[in-house]
């Protein structure tokens, strides 16, 4: 098997899912670049629009990270990196989470400071073809344009994210799908300020910053958990995938296995682990190890590497 094929993580049947994910990420980059430019052009003195602009710029990080990481993780293992570059996915996830958290804290401080100081901002008018138009209408139109399509793009990313077990892609999809909250909060803030409630704009900015901060802290917690070799979880991090139990059940059905214990961890899209098996006797150890590996690898494409050892009952009991 050549190195290029060895470094490819997915079965060939999932190639269309990966290609679709890349297409959606490129679409996100183009769309977010356009909408961020429009938001910048009409934002004026609005704190809510400023927060929305930062969120659009932040939303560029996950798709860019996904596209960069998709190239890095394909590199074959080397002397310096004997386990390969699979965990580049988790590193990208961590960088994205840290950026979200940092900017969320900054925007929260910025918006809260304006509320505390009771700074009053106004939305002016602009001359369009000889007519004076309230700038707030343009802001609302831009936010509708920026928010609604992104929700559908986010939902479209969730299916390939689950199939290729990509947590960075799923986190990006969640951010996109929830973008309507930013759009709605911004429109409410602008409308409120236009109605004379000076605090509405800053309050909307605080809400947006809290939403960014929530996404960042949650993603940061999940990324750190993966780096700390937590048991594999679903792409939304809500549930254990149950693969350890599935592997133990499959091995338990082998006639020569008395008991087995497994430790499994995530390396990006794929899983690495150790299997300790207590055999019924000491016959044919090498053949039995090969048999166990074959059974385990057939269970799930995400099982990339497992180290199988045959142990005594006492040694098995010492394992987690």
């Amino acid at each position: 098997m050549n190195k290029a094929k060895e470094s490819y993580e997915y079965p060939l049947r999932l190639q269309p899912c990966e290609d679709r994910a890349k297409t959606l990420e490129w679409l996100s980059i183009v769309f977010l670049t356009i909408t961020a430019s429009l938001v910048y052009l009409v934002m004026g003195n609005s704190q809510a629009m400023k927060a929305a602009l930062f969120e659009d710029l932040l939303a560029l990080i996950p798709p860019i990270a996904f596209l960069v990481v998709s190239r890095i993780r394909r590199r074959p293992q080397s002397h310096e990196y004997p386990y390969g570059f699979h965990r580049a996915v988790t590193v990208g996830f961590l960088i994205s989470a840290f950026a979200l958290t940092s900017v969320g804290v900054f925007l929260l401080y910025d918006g809260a400071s304006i509320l505390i100081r009771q700074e009053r901002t106004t939305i002016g008018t602009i001359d369009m073809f000889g007519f004076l138009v309230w700038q707030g209408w343009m802001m609302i139109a831009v936010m509708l344009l920026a928010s609604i399509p992104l929700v559908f793009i986010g939902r479209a990313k969730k299916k390939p994210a689950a199939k290729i077990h990509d947590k960075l892609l799923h986190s990006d999809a969640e951010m996109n799908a929830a973008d309507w909250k930013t759009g709605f909060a911004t429109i409410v803030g602008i409308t409120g300020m236009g109605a004379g409630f000076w605090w509405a704009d800053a309050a909307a900015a605080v809400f947006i910053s809290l939403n960014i901060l929530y996404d960042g802290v949650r993603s940061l917690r999940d990324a750190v958990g993966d780096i700390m070799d937590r048991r594999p979880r679903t792409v939304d991090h809500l549930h254990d995938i149950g693969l350890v139990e599935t592997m133990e059940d499959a091995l338990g059905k082998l006639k020569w296995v008395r008991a087995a214990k497994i430790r499994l961890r995530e390396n990006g899209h794929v899983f690495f682990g150790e299997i300790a098996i207590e055999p019924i006797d000491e016959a044919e150890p090498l053949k039995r190890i090969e048999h166990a590996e074959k059974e385990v690898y057939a269970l799930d494409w995400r099982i990339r590497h497992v180290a199988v050892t045959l142990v005594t009952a006492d040694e098995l009991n010492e394992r987690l």
Side-chain angles (χ1 to χ4, degrees), residues 1-27:
M1 185 181 294
N2 60 51
K3 288 186 177 181
K5 190 172 181 180
E6 284 180 350
S7 64
Y8 186 68
E9 296 175 317
Y10 311 123
L12 293 179
R13 61 183 172 81
L14 292 180
Q15 178 73 60
C17 289
E18 185 187 22
D19 292 341
R20 177 172 173 76
K22 289 180 178 178
T23 300
L24 288 169
E25 293 295 51
W26 277 113
L27 177 62

PDB file of all heavy atoms in Angstrom, residues 1-27:
ATOM      1  N   MET A   1       0.851  -1.196   0.000  1.00  0.00           N
ATOM      2  CA  MET A   1       0.000   0.000   0.000  1.00  0.00           C
ATOM      3  C   MET A   1       0.883   1.241   0.000  1.00  0.00           C
ATOM      4  O   MET A   1       1.808   1.355   0.776  1.00  0.00           O
ATOM      5  CB  MET A   1      -0.898  -0.011   1.236  1.00  0.00           C
ATOM      6  CG  MET A   1      -1.904   1.125   1.275  1.00  0.00           C
ATOM      7  SD  MET A   1      -2.930   1.067   2.784  1.00  0.00           S
ATOM      8  CE  MET A   1      -3.840  -0.456   2.476  1.00  0.00           C
ATOM      9  N   ASN A   2       0.601   2.218  -0.913  1.00  0.00           N
ATOM     10  CA  ASN A   2       1.450   3.395  -0.965  1.00  0.00           C
ATOM     11  C   ASN A   2       1.112   4.370   0.153  1.00  0.00           C
ATOM     12  O   ASN A   2       0.075   4.302   0.781  1.00  0.00           O
ATOM     13  CB  ASN A   2       1.315   4.090  -2.340  1.00  0.00           C
ATOM     14  CG  ASN A   2      -0.114   4.526  -2.617  1.00  0.00           C
ATOM     15  OD1 ASN A   2      -0.742   5.193  -1.801  1.00  0.00           O
ATOM     16  ND2 ASN A   2      -0.619   4.151  -3.783  1.00  0.00           N
ATOM     17  N   LYS A   3       2.029   5.320   0.364  1.00  0.00           N
ATOM     18  CA  LYS A   3       1.879   6.248   1.490  1.00  0.00           C
ATOM     19  C   LYS A   3       0.670   7.146   1.328  1.00  0.00           C
ATOM     20  O   LYS A   3       0.004   7.494   2.304  1.00  0.00           O
ATOM     21  CB  LYS A   3       3.145   7.099   1.634  1.00  0.00           C
ATOM     22  CG  LYS A   3       4.323   6.316   2.180  1.00  0.00           C
ATOM     23  CD  LYS A   3       5.490   7.242   2.438  1.00  0.00           C
ATOM     24  CE  LYS A   3       6.649   6.482   3.066  1.00  0.00           C
ATOM     25  NZ  LYS A   3       7.788   7.375   3.358  1.00  0.00           N
ATOM     26  N   ALA A   4       0.364   7.548   0.097  1.00  0.00           N
ATOM     27  CA  ALA A   4      -0.782   8.429  -0.122  1.00  0.00           C
ATOM     28  C   ALA A   4      -2.069   7.750   0.304  1.00  0.00           C
ATOM     29  O   ALA A   4      -2.938   8.352   0.918  1.00  0.00           O
ATOM     30  CB  ALA A   4      -0.855   8.827  -1.598  1.00  0.00           C
ATOM     31  N   LYS A   5      -2.174   6.457  -0.028  1.00  0.00           N
ATOM     32  CA  LYS A   5      -3.385   5.731   0.343  1.00  0.00           C
ATOM     33  C   LYS A   5      -3.423   5.476   1.838  1.00  0.00           C
ATOM     34  O   LYS A   5      -4.471   5.531   2.468  1.00  0.00           O
ATOM     35  CB  LYS A   5      -3.450   4.411  -0.422  1.00  0.00           C
ATOM     36  CG  LYS A   5      -4.792   3.697  -0.280  1.00  0.00           C
ATOM     37  CD  LYS A   5      -4.884   2.513  -1.207  1.00  0.00           C
ATOM     38  CE  LYS A   5      -6.242   1.824  -1.070  1.00  0.00           C
ATOM     39  NZ  LYS A   5      -6.352   0.657  -1.958  1.00  0.00           N
ATOM     40  N   GLU A   6      -2.257   5.207   2.431  1.00  0.00           N
ATOM     41  CA  GLU A   6      -2.208   4.977   3.869  1.00  0.00           C
ATOM     42  C   GLU A   6      -2.635   6.213   4.647  1.00  0.00           C
ATOM     43  O   GLU A   6      -3.241   6.127   5.695  1.00  0.00           O
ATOM     44  CB  GLU A   6      -0.781   4.578   4.276  1.00  0.00           C
ATOM     45  CG  GLU A   6      -0.425   3.154   3.916  1.00  0.00           C
ATOM     46  CD  GLU A   6       0.991   2.838   4.343  1.00  0.00           C
ATOM     47  OE1 GLU A   6       1.715   3.774   4.718  1.00  0.00           O
ATOM     48  OE2 GLU A   6       1.376   1.666   4.301  1.00  0.00           O
ATOM     49  N   SER A   7      -2.296   7.397   4.120  1.00  0.00           N
ATOM     50  CA  SER A   7      -2.594   8.620   4.846  1.00  0.00           C
ATOM     51  C   SER A   7      -4.040   9.068   4.677  1.00  0.00           C
ATOM     52  O   SER A   7      -4.490   9.968   5.370  1.00  0.00           O
ATOM     53  CB  SER A   7      -1.656   9.751   4.373  1.00  0.00           C
ATOM     54  OG  SER A   7      -1.890  10.051   3.008  1.00  0.00           O
ATOM     55  N   TYR A   8      -4.771   8.450   3.743  1.00  0.00           N
ATOM     56  CA  TYR A   8      -6.172   8.822   3.557  1.00  0.00           C
ATOM     57  C   TYR A   8      -7.007   8.152   4.635  1.00  0.00           C
ATOM     58  O   TYR A   8      -6.995   6.933   4.785  1.00  0.00           O
ATOM     59  CB  TYR A   8      -6.654   8.408   2.158  1.00  0.00           C
ATOM     60  CG  TYR A   8      -8.049   8.903   1.875  1.00  0.00           C
ATOM     61  CD1 TYR A   8      -8.279  10.269   1.742  1.00  0.00           C
ATOM     62  CD2 TYR A   8      -9.124   8.026   1.787  1.00  0.00           C
ATOM     63  CE1 TYR A   8      -9.550  10.738   1.498  1.00  0.00           C
ATOM     64  CE2 TYR A   8     -10.393   8.497   1.549  1.00  0.00           C
ATOM     65  CZ  TYR A   8     -10.601   9.851   1.406  1.00  0.00           C
ATOM     66  OH  TYR A   8     -11.878  10.325   1.173  1.00  0.00           O
ATOM     67  N   GLU A   9      -7.752   8.953   5.383  1.00  0.00           N
ATOM     68  CA  GLU A   9      -8.419   8.439   6.575  1.00  0.00           C
ATOM     69  C   GLU A   9      -9.756   7.769   6.298  1.00  0.00           C
ATOM     70  O   GLU A   9     -10.193   6.928   7.069  1.00  0.00           O
ATOM     71  CB  GLU A   9      -8.640   9.585   7.570  1.00  0.00           C
ATOM     72  CG  GLU A   9      -7.345  10.161   8.079  1.00  0.00           C
ATOM     73  CD  GLU A   9      -7.590  11.368   8.971  1.00  0.00           C
ATOM     74  OE1 GLU A   9      -8.439  12.193   8.619  1.00  0.00           O
ATOM     75  OE2 GLU A   9      -6.928  11.465  10.005  1.00  0.00           O
ATOM     76  N   TYR A  10     -10.432   8.172   5.243  1.00  0.00           N
ATOM     77  CA  TYR A  10     -11.792   7.689   5.020  1.00  0.00           C
ATOM     78  C   TYR A  10     -11.832   6.530   4.035  1.00  0.00           C
ATOM     79  O   TYR A  10     -11.004   6.433   3.135  1.00  0.00           O
ATOM     80  CB  TYR A  10     -12.668   8.808   4.453  1.00  0.00           C
ATOM     81  CG  TYR A  10     -12.586  10.108   5.187  1.00  0.00           C
ATOM     82  CD1 TYR A  10     -12.227  11.280   4.528  1.00  0.00           C
ATOM     83  CD2 TYR A  10     -12.868  10.179   6.546  1.00  0.00           C
ATOM     84  CE1 TYR A  10     -12.149  12.479   5.197  1.00  0.00           C
ATOM     85  CE2 TYR A  10     -12.797  11.378   7.222  1.00  0.00           C
ATOM     86  CZ  TYR A  10     -12.438  12.518   6.544  1.00  0.00           C
ATOM     87  OH  TYR A  10     -12.357  13.711   7.205  1.00  0.00           O
ATOM     88  N   PRO A  11     -12.850   5.665   4.173  1.00  0.00           N
ATOM     89  CA  PRO A  11     -13.088   4.706   3.095  1.00  0.00           C
ATOM     90  C   PRO A  11     -13.517   5.474   1.845  1.00  0.00           C
ATOM     91  O   PRO A  11     -14.056   6.583   1.936  1.00  0.00           O
ATOM     92  CB  PRO A  11     -14.224   3.833   3.637  1.00  0.00           C
ATOM     93  CG  PRO A  11     -14.784   4.545   4.803  1.00  0.00           C
ATOM     94  CD  PRO A  11     -13.763   5.500   5.297  1.00  0.00           C
ATOM     95  N   LEU A  12     -13.274   4.896   0.687  1.00  0.00           N
ATOM     96  CA  LEU A  12     -13.544   5.613  -0.564  1.00  0.00           C
ATOM     97  C   LEU A  12     -15.012   6.007  -0.712  1.00  0.00           C
ATOM     98  O   LEU A  12     -15.320   6.997  -1.380  1.00  0.00           O
ATOM     99  CB  LEU A  12     -13.105   4.745  -1.755  1.00  0.00           C
ATOM    100  CG  LEU A  12     -11.597   4.526  -1.869  1.00  0.00           C
ATOM    101  CD1 LEU A  12     -11.278   3.635  -3.057  1.00  0.00           C
ATOM    102  CD2 LEU A  12     -10.862   5.858  -1.990  1.00  0.00           C
ATOM    103  N   ARG A  13     -15.903   5.275  -0.076  1.00  0.00           N
ATOM    104  CA  ARG A  13     -17.328   5.613  -0.173  1.00  0.00           C
ATOM    105  C   ARG A  13     -17.642   6.962   0.477  1.00  0.00           C
ATOM    106  O   ARG A  13     -18.691   7.563   0.207  1.00  0.00           O
ATOM    107  CB  ARG A  13     -18.181   4.512   0.471  1.00  0.00           C
ATOM    108  CG  ARG A  13     -17.900   4.293   1.952  1.00  0.00           C
ATOM    109  CD  ARG A  13     -18.717   3.146   2.531  1.00  0.00           C
ATOM    110  NE  ARG A  13     -18.317   2.819   3.889  1.00  0.00           N
ATOM    111  CZ  ARG A  13     -18.728   3.492   4.966  1.00  0.00           C
ATOM    112  NH1 ARG A  13     -19.558   4.518   4.822  1.00  0.00           N
ATOM    113  NH2 ARG A  13     -18.323   3.151   6.170  1.00  0.00           N
ATOM    114  N   LEU A  14     -16.748   7.448   1.335  1.00  0.00           N
ATOM    115  CA  LEU A  14     -16.960   8.734   1.997  1.00  0.00           C
ATOM    116  C   LEU A  14     -16.274   9.895   1.276  1.00  0.00           C
ATOM    117  O   LEU A  14     -16.369  11.031   1.718  1.00  0.00           O
ATOM    118  CB  LEU A  14     -16.474   8.675   3.445  1.00  0.00           C
ATOM    119  CG  LEU A  14     -17.278   7.771   4.391  1.00  0.00           C
ATOM    120  CD1 LEU A  14     -16.678   7.805   5.788  1.00  0.00           C
ATOM    121  CD2 LEU A  14     -18.742   8.189   4.432  1.00  0.00           C
ATOM    122  N   GLN A  15     -15.601   9.603   0.168  1.00  0.00           N
ATOM    123  CA  GLN A  15     -14.948  10.671  -0.588  1.00  0.00           C
ATOM    124  C   GLN A  15     -15.937  11.758  -1.016  1.00  0.00           C
ATOM    125  O   GLN A  15     -15.639  12.955  -0.886  1.00  0.00           O
ATOM    126  CB  GLN A  15     -14.252  10.087  -1.817  1.00  0.00           C
ATOM    127  CG  GLN A  15     -13.579  11.116  -2.710  1.00  0.00           C
ATOM    128  CD  GLN A  15     -12.313  11.685  -2.102  1.00  0.00           C
ATOM    129  OE1 GLN A  15     -11.379  10.939  -1.837  1.00  0.00           O
ATOM    130  NE2 GLN A  15     -12.282  12.986  -1.879  1.00  0.00           N
ATOM    131  N   PRO A  16     -17.158  11.387  -1.498  1.00  0.00           N
ATOM    132  CA  PRO A  16     -18.123  12.443  -1.862  1.00  0.00           C
ATOM    133  C   PRO A  16     -18.512  13.327  -0.678  1.00  0.00           C
ATOM    134  O   PRO A  16     -18.759  14.521  -0.862  1.00  0.00           O
ATOM    135  CB  PRO A  16     -19.333  11.654  -2.392  1.00  0.00           C
ATOM    136  CG  PRO A  16     -18.774  10.342  -2.838  1.00  0.00           C
ATOM    137  CD  PRO A  16     -17.665  10.045  -1.870  1.00  0.00           C
ATOM    138  N   CYS A  17     -18.569  12.760   0.528  1.00  0.00           N
ATOM    139  CA  CYS A  17     -18.898  13.555   1.720  1.00  0.00           C
ATOM    140  C   CYS A  17     -17.812  14.585   2.004  1.00  0.00           C
ATOM    141  O   CYS A  17     -18.101  15.745   2.318  1.00  0.00           O
ATOM    142  CB  CYS A  17     -19.087  12.646   2.931  1.00  0.00           C
ATOM    143  SG  CYS A  17     -20.582  11.660   2.900  1.00  0.00           S
ATOM    144  N   GLU A  18     -16.562  14.149   1.882  1.00  0.00           N
ATOM    145  CA  GLU A  18     -15.459  15.077   2.098  1.00  0.00           C
ATOM    146  C   GLU A  18     -15.456  16.169   1.039  1.00  0.00           C
ATOM    147  O   GLU A  18     -15.250  17.353   1.349  1.00  0.00           O
ATOM    148  CB  GLU A  18     -14.121  14.336   2.090  1.00  0.00           C
ATOM    149  CG  GLU A  18     -12.952  15.249   2.422  1.00  0.00           C
ATOM    150  CD  GLU A  18     -11.611  14.560   2.257  1.00  0.00           C
ATOM    151  OE1 GLU A  18     -11.531  13.563   1.510  1.00  0.00           O
ATOM    152  OE2 GLU A  18     -10.638  15.023   2.870  1.00  0.00           O
ATOM    153  N   ASP A  19     -15.701  15.793  -0.214  1.00  0.00           N
ATOM    154  CA  ASP A  19     -15.735  16.780  -1.298  1.00  0.00           C
ATOM    155  C   ASP A  19     -16.867  17.785  -1.079  1.00  0.00           C
ATOM    156  O   ASP A  19     -16.698  18.984  -1.317  1.00  0.00           O
ATOM    157  CB  ASP A  19     -15.922  16.073  -2.640  1.00  0.00           C
ATOM    158  CG  ASP A  19     -14.711  15.238  -3.026  1.00  0.00           C
ATOM    159  OD1 ASP A  19     -13.619  15.479  -2.466  1.00  0.00           O
ATOM    160  OD2 ASP A  19     -14.860  14.331  -3.865  1.00  0.00           O
ATOM    161  N   ARG A  20     -18.026  17.282  -0.620  1.00  0.00           N
ATOM    162  CA  ARG A  20     -19.156  18.176  -0.357  1.00  0.00           C
ATOM    163  C   ARG A  20     -18.818  19.131   0.789  1.00  0.00           C
ATOM    164  O   ARG A  20     -19.146  20.318   0.734  1.00  0.00           O
ATOM    165  CB  ARG A  20     -20.399  17.367  -0.019  1.00  0.00           C
ATOM    166  CG  ARG A  20     -21.616  18.210   0.343  1.00  0.00           C
ATOM    167  CD  ARG A  20     -22.872  17.363   0.481  1.00  0.00           C
ATOM    168  NE  ARG A  20     -23.990  18.124   0.977  1.00  0.00           N
ATOM    169  CZ  ARG A  20     -24.707  18.973   0.277  1.00  0.00           C
ATOM    170  NH1 ARG A  20     -24.401  19.181  -1.003  1.00  0.00           N
ATOM    171  NH2 ARG A  20     -25.713  19.628   0.810  1.00  0.00           N
ATOM    172  N   ALA A  21     -18.155  18.616   1.812  1.00  0.00           N
ATOM    173  CA  ALA A  21     -17.776  19.454   2.943  1.00  0.00           C
ATOM    174  C   ALA A  21     -16.842  20.573   2.491  1.00  0.00           C
ATOM    175  O   ALA A  21     -16.998  21.734   2.896  1.00  0.00           O
ATOM    176  CB  ALA A  21     -17.109  18.610   4.020  1.00  0.00           C
ATOM    177  N   LYS A  22     -15.879  20.252   1.648  1.00  0.00           N
ATOM    178  CA  LYS A  22     -14.949  21.267   1.155  1.00  0.00           C
ATOM    179  C   LYS A  22     -15.677  22.322   0.318  1.00  0.00           C
ATOM    180  O   LYS A  22     -15.395  23.523   0.429  1.00  0.00           O
ATOM    181  CB  LYS A  22     -13.851  20.606   0.322  1.00  0.00           C
ATOM    182  CG  LYS A  22     -12.866  19.790   1.144  1.00  0.00           C
ATOM    183  CD  LYS A  22     -11.808  19.170   0.252  1.00  0.00           C
ATOM    184  CE  LYS A  22     -10.792  18.387   1.072  1.00  0.00           C
ATOM    185  NZ  LYS A  22      -9.771  17.737   0.228  1.00  0.00           N
ATOM    186  N   THR A  23     -16.620  21.871  -0.511  1.00  0.00           N
ATOM    187  CA  THR A  23     -17.395  22.809  -1.326  1.00  0.00           C
ATOM    188  C   THR A  23     -18.192  23.767  -0.447  1.00  0.00           C
ATOM    189  O   THR A  23     -18.226  24.982  -0.691  1.00  0.00           O
ATOM    190  CB  THR A  23     -18.359  22.046  -2.254  1.00  0.00           C
ATOM    191  OG1 THR A  23     -17.599  21.186  -3.117  1.00  0.00           O
ATOM    192  CG2 THR A  23     -19.171  23.009  -3.106  1.00  0.00           C
ATOM    193  N   LEU A  24     -18.813  23.224   0.597  1.00  0.00           N
ATOM    194  CA  LEU A  24     -19.596  24.055   1.507  1.00  0.00           C
ATOM    195  C   LEU A  24     -18.717  25.039   2.272  1.00  0.00           C
ATOM    196  O   LEU A  24     -19.125  26.180   2.528  1.00  0.00           O
ATOM    197  CB  LEU A  24     -20.365  23.169   2.492  1.00  0.00           C
ATOM    198  CG  LEU A  24     -21.543  22.386   1.897  1.00  0.00           C
ATOM    199  CD1 LEU A  24     -22.052  21.344   2.894  1.00  0.00           C
ATOM    200  CD2 LEU A  24     -22.679  23.340   1.509  1.00  0.00           C
ATOM    201  N   GLU A  25     -17.506  24.616   2.621  1.00  0.00           N
ATOM    202  CA  GLU A  25     -16.602  25.514   3.332  1.00  0.00           C
ATOM    203  C   GLU A  25     -16.126  26.643   2.422  1.00  0.00           C
ATOM    204  O   GLU A  25     -16.013  27.798   2.860  1.00  0.00           O
ATOM    205  CB  GLU A  25     -15.414  24.738   3.899  1.00  0.00           C
ATOM    206  CG  GLU A  25     -15.781  23.745   5.003  1.00  0.00           C
ATOM    207  CD  GLU A  25     -16.320  24.401   6.257  1.00  0.00           C
ATOM    208  OE1 GLU A  25     -17.245  25.237   6.179  1.00  0.00           O
ATOM    209  OE2 GLU A  25     -15.822  24.071   7.339  1.00  0.00           O
ATOM    210  N   TRP A  26     -15.846  26.341   1.172  1.00  0.00           N
ATOM    211  CA  TRP A  26     -15.476  27.392   0.233  1.00  0.00           C
ATOM    212  C   TRP A  26     -16.641  28.354   0.022  1.00  0.00           C
ATOM    213  O   TRP A  26     -16.443  29.582  -0.057  1.00  0.00           O
ATOM    214  CB  TRP A  26     -15.041  26.797  -1.114  1.00  0.00           C
ATOM    215  CG  TRP A  26     -13.609  26.358  -1.151  1.00  0.00           C
ATOM    216  CD1 TRP A  26     -13.130  25.090  -1.263  1.00  0.00           C
ATOM    217  CD2 TRP A  26     -12.458  27.216  -1.062  1.00  0.00           C
ATOM    218  NE1 TRP A  26     -11.759  25.087  -1.249  1.00  0.00           N
ATOM    219  CE2 TRP A  26     -11.310  26.376  -1.138  1.00  0.00           C
ATOM    220  CE3 TRP A  26     -12.276  28.584  -0.937  1.00  0.00           C
ATOM    221  CZ2 TRP A  26     -10.021  26.882  -1.082  1.00  0.00           C
ATOM    222  CZ3 TRP A  26     -10.983  29.087  -0.876  1.00  0.00           C
ATOM    223  CH2 TRP A  26      -9.881  28.241  -0.957  1.00  0.00           C
ATOM    224  N   LEU A  27     -17.850  27.804  -0.062  1.00  0.00           N
ATOM    225  CA  LEU A  27     -19.043  28.641  -0.204  1.00  0.00           C
ATOM    226  C   LEU A  27     -19.188  29.556   1.010  1.00  0.00           C
ATOM    227  O   LEU A  27     -19.529  30.742   0.877  1.00  0.00           O
ATOM    228  CB  LEU A  27     -20.282  27.756  -0.356  1.00  0.00           C
ATOM    229  CG  LEU A  27     -21.635  28.468  -0.454  1.00  0.00           C
ATOM    230  CD1 LEU A  27     -21.676  29.364  -1.679  1.00  0.00           C
ATOM    231  CD2 LEU A  27     -22.772  27.446  -0.510  1.00  0.00           C
TER     232      LEU A  27
END
